[in-house]
Amino acid sequence: MTQFFEKLQKYALLRMIFLVLIGGFMLFRPNEIFHGVVYIVAGYTAFLGLLNLVVAFRNRQEGMSSFGLISGVLLLVAALAILVLAKPIVSIIPIFFGILFVIYGLVKFVKKPARRIVNEPSLPRKIFYLLILLVGILLIFNPFKTVLLVAQIAGAVILLMGIEEGINFFRRN
């Protein structure tokens, strides 16, 4: 167990640098991170497709049959689809959640509670449901910006994790 903690301490500075760089990029350049991830996933899928095609052609020359040709072509089509459809697919997710939030907020805002809890004011609850409704409307009408905002928030958290990792590293040494 002590070896595990020694390894964690040994690579703390490297983790700090990595977290600060990734977090900073996500915080200040979320669009580039999104496109980078899309290109990496599409590139990996295309690589797998090409690899399947090469294996299929080698098998064909040796007289063996395989599904490598079909899977290779399908993976190449999937890579192209990832490049073309990544932004619309990611934009659909916030719209879906936005619709759910709007419905939930409206139902809870309009609905009277089945039983009222003694000494609990209803105004804070109504304000909370109104905020859920407004977030839902924001998600519906500005889906891609909200995805980038979530990426920025995640980047800020990762950046803070990296700073905390650095503080702990320098305290120990």
Side-chain angles (χ1 to χ4, degrees), residues 3-160:
Q3 288 178 338
F4 174 74
F5 287 114
E6 287 174 5
K7 282 185 180 180
L8 280 179
Q9 289 176 356
K10 185 177 179 182
Y11 297 110
L13 188 60
L14 188 61
R15 272 195 317 274
M16 177 206 66
I17 293 169
F18 178 75
L19 290 172
V20 167
L21 287 175
I22 294 296
F25 242 107
M26 286 179 70
L27 180 61
F28 298 111
R29 301 290 218 183
N31 207 11
E32 285 82 358
I33 290 290
F34 172 74
H35 290 296
V37 168
V38 168
Y39 289 133
I40 288 170
V41 170
Y44 180 71
T45 306
F47 173 75
L48 288 178
L50 290 173
L51 192 64
N52 282 356
L53 289 175
V54 168
V55 169
F57 285 123
R58 283 186 183 167
N59 287 344
R60 182 175 273 179
Q61 287 176 349
E62 294 174 8
M64 299 167 43
S65 64
S66 72
F67 291 103
L69 183 63
I70 295 170
S71 66
V73 170
L74 289 177
L75 283 170
L76 288 175
V77 170
L80 182 63
I82 289 169
L83 283 176
V84 173
L85 300 175
K87 190 172 180 177
I89 289 172
V90 170
S91 295
I92 289 172
I93 295 169
I95 292 171
F96 175 72
F97 280 112
I99 291 169
L100 290 177
F101 289 172
V102 166
I103 292 170
Y104 180 84
L106 278 175
V107 167
K108 292 291 188 173
F109 188 79
V110 174
K111 181 182 169 189
K112 293 188 181 209
R115 61 183 172 95
R116 185 162 159 79
I117 300 172
V118 179
N119 293 333
E120 184 183 11
S122 64
L123 185 61
R125 183 177 290 153
K126 294 283 187 184
I127 291 172
F128 176 68
Y129 295 139
L130 187 62
L131 284 174
I132 291 174
L133 177 70
L134 292 174
V135 167
I137 291 170
L138 176 69
L139 287 171
I140 290 170
F141 289 109
N142 203 353
F144 196 67
K145 291 283 186 187
T146 54
V147 169
L148 293 180
L149 177 65
V150 169
Q152 285 180 310
I153 292 169
V157 169
I158 292 171
L159 182 65
L160 291 174

